[in-house]
Amino acid sequence: MVVGQETHPGTGAGAAPAEFREAVATMHAARLRPEVLCEEMPAPQRIAPWASALSADVTVEGTDIGTGRIILLHDPAGNDAWSGTFRCVAYARAEVDLDLISDPMLAAVGWTWLTEALEEHGASYVAASGTVTRVATESFGGMADEGGTAQVEIRASWTPVVPEAAPDLAPLDLAPHVEAWGELLCTAAGLPPVPDGVAVMPSRRGQRGGGPGGGH
């Protein structure tokens, strides 16, 4: 599949730095669980000179139970706040049991979903930051029969780096970072982890166009 790129106003797609084009290609090489339906989305154009983004829904038996997006930012001049020239910005939202919303540990656990996913997928990073928000909704009056709902929202950013064990001059590989984000979406949505030894199939994106691991 040919990957499109979002560009900053005033620049042409052909002017994108080679390291950014290569990083975007690795994003689209990520292999996601079949429940994750992923597609390219327009990237923000004012945060960094170059950006590319993916969005995804976690779908089980035709029902969306989680959603999110991941954005790759690139500033060839570097950014002191990032401690590098690249930055991943991720968002995940999922429905959770209403009983969990009052659990004081939910936010801390939500953050470990991200850090553990990055570690398990071998995604090396520095300078991580983010927030975990718990949202509870109650219905009243004519809608009282609908009961309450609860959601957890995770917003995070981190700077991807080449693993220390990688060969000298190894390129930056964003696939593990995208795969970790996909795992975060599934964990937040309550899906059990994939057992060891079970192959993760490429993301099913035929319903939404091409993308990571599919659409060939």
Side-chain angles (χ1 to χ4, degrees):
M1 166 192 149
V2 177
V3 179
Q5 295 179 352
E6 298 297 322
T7 62
H8 189 276
T11 63
E19 60 180 344
F20 174 72
R21 297 197 307 269
E22 293 168 358
V24 170
T26 64
M27 287 181 69
H28 288 257
R31 297 173 66 85
L32 304 174
R33 291 176 56 159
E35 298 92 346
V36 180
L37 304 180
C38 187
E39 63 185 352
E40 190 174 17
M41 64 173 285
Q45 298 182 332
R46 293 187 176 92
I47 302 177
W50 302 97
S52 184
L54 300 171
S55 65
D57 293 321
V58 180
T59 303
V60 176
E61 296 180 352
T63 300
D64 290 343
I65 59 175
T67 188
R69 59 183 176 270
I70 186 168
I71 303 167
L72 176 66
L73 305 175
H74 178 51
D75 187 343
N79 187 308
D80 291 341
W82 301 353
S83 299
T85 60
F86 285 93
R87 188 74 170 171
C88 292
V89 180
Y91 170 75
R93 186 184 75 236
E95 299 282 342
V96 298
D97 290 339
L98 191 59
D99 293 342
L100 291 177
I101 207 68
S102 59
D103 187 339
M105 294 298 297
L106 179 59
V109 170
W111 185 251
T112 64
W113 293 340
L114 170 65
T115 57
E116 289 180 356
L118 288 167
E119 180 179 355
E120 290 172 1
H121 287 271
S124 296
Y125 66 95
V126 297
S129 63
T131 62
V132 179
T133 304
R134 297 171 292 173
V135 180
T137 303
E138 295 186 46
S139 302
F140 299 92
M143 299 176 63
D145 291 342
E146 297 183 10
T149 61
Q151 295 179 331
V152 61
E153 296 182 350
I154 302 165
R155 301 175 186 270
S157 64
W158 63 90
T159 297
V161 296
V162 176
E164 293 183 359
D168 291 341
L169 302 179
L172 184 63
D173 185 0
L174 271 296
H177 298 265
V178 174
E179 291 166 358
W181 163 71
E183 192 64 31
L184 167 65
L185 293 177
C186 292
T187 302
L191 296 184
V194 176
D196 291 340
V198 176
V200 177
M201 298 298 293
S203 174
R204 292 182 292 123
R205 297 183 57 183
Q207 302 175 22
R208 307 191 179 203
H216 296 284

